Amino acid sequence: MTRIGLISDTHDNLDRVRSAVKLFNELPVEQVFHCGDLVAPFVLKEFQPLTVPLLVVLGNCDGDRAALKEVAQQMGFAIFDTRAEISIANRKICITHQPLNPIPHCDFYIHGHTHRIRYEPGSPIIVNPGEAGGWLTNRSTVATLNIETGEVEFFDL
């Protein structure tokens, strides 16, 4: 089973990042995608205890992009400016921060930005893990995605 951890909009909330890392390590997942708005480079350091690879797509509130890229590179994390397109188990996955219109051709479209949980089955399956930071909604969430089945699970931190 290929299970991916999904997180977005952490907005410098270090306690929630630590909780998410602990959860992802316990579940376990094979990789974690961060859909943007870490905000500051020091947030990336909180992902260091992850036991799986981290892929980050930068968001509109990610300030010092050069520093974020430098820290990500030092820690061995993959980091993309606005969009990442990857294949896992012969399934195409597109990861962005801000929702795109039109949605690109893919099997899974994963985004952040709205701070709202979103799951829309179909082609593609659309997922927003919600906001991990919890600043806007007072709810901190992450999600997992099963690449084989398309099943999505949401978790409160």
Side-chain angles (χ1 to χ4, degrees), residues 21-91:
V21 167
K22 183 175 186 277
L23 176 68
F24 290 140
N25 284 341
E26 288 172 355
L27 286 174
V29 296
E30 293 185 25
Q31 188 168 0
V32 173
F33 300 157
H34 193 300
C35 302
D37 282 1
L38 295 148
V39 180
F42 61 79
V43 176
L44 275 172
K45 295 178 181 177
E46 297 300 325
F47 284 94
Q48 196 162 19
L50 262 180
T51 58
V52 296
L54 176 67
L55 179 151
V56 176
V57 174
L58 296 175
N60 60 301
C61 290
D62 289 319
D64 190 341
R65 291 166 111 67
L68 281 161
K69 289 176 183 178
E70 182 179 329
V71 171
Q73 183 179 28
Q74 290 169 358
M75 300 181 81
F77 301 150
I79 190 162
F80 298 83
D81 274 315
T82 56
R83 177 174 167 175
E85 290 186 8
I86 63 170
S87 288
I88 298 176
N90 294 319
R91 307 293 297 273

Side-chain angles (χ1 to χ4, degrees), residues 112-148:
H113 186 64
T114 65
H115 294 241
R116 290 191 299 272
I117 288 174
R118 181 180 184 189
Y119 171 68
E120 294 179 21
S123 184
I125 292 172
I126 302 171
V127 183
N128 180 337
E131 66 164 327
W135 302 120
L136 290 182
T137 64
N138 291 321
R139 185 176 181 201
S140 300
T141 58
V142 296
T144 59
L145 167 64
N146 182 316
I147 298 296
E148 279 88 24

